Amino acid sequence: FFVLSSDLEGFVLVINEALACGAPVIATDCGPVTEILTGELQKGIVPKQDPIALANKIKQFVQTPIYPSEDVIDKLSFSHITKLQLKLALQ
């Protein structure tokens, strides 16, 4: 899995990249994390500046990781993003 332990992030592209690879994600509640990790994936969010909560979440994910769905992975794929960008460019 992927762990983002930041206190502040402007745009957390790295979370999208991890999800696109099919990795479970644990992240502190910084920047737009809650906009990206939705539904079942929200269970990977912990409060920032809480190392105990982060450690406990890591222990939990070792036993029962929450993987992104195929739909999430597909929406973040290079081919899907490229199609959307071409569609915008041709408008």
Side-chain angles (χ1 to χ4, degrees):
F1 49 84
F2 174 78
V3 178
L4 178 77
S5 60
S6 299
D7 287 336
L8 181 64
E9 288 284 340
F11 181 74
V12 286
L13 180 60
V14 68
I15 289 179
N16 288 330
E17 292 169 338
L19 293 172
C21 291
V25 173
I26 298 170
T28 52
D29 189 5
C30 64
V33 171
T34 57
E35 295 173 28
I36 299 168
L37 298 177
T38 59
E40 189 75 7
L41 298 175
Q42 283 181 321
K43 293 180 181 178
I45 301 172
V46 297
K48 58 185 171 183
Q49 297 185 359
D50 189 343
I52 302 298
L54 183 61
N56 287 335
K57 188 59 68 175
I58 291 170
K59 288 179 189 177
Q60 178 187 353
F61 268 49
V62 167
Q63 298 297 318
T64 53
I66 299 171
Y67 291 92
S69 67
E70 289 297 322
D71 185 51
V72 168
I73 294 169
D74 183 53
K75 286 180 181 176
L76 295 168
S77 71
F78 180 76
S79 61
H80 181 75
I81 299 296
T82 303
K83 286 177 191 174
L84 291 175
Q85 290 175 339
L86 287 171
K87 184 178 177 181
L88 285 172
L90 297 173
Q91 288 183 352

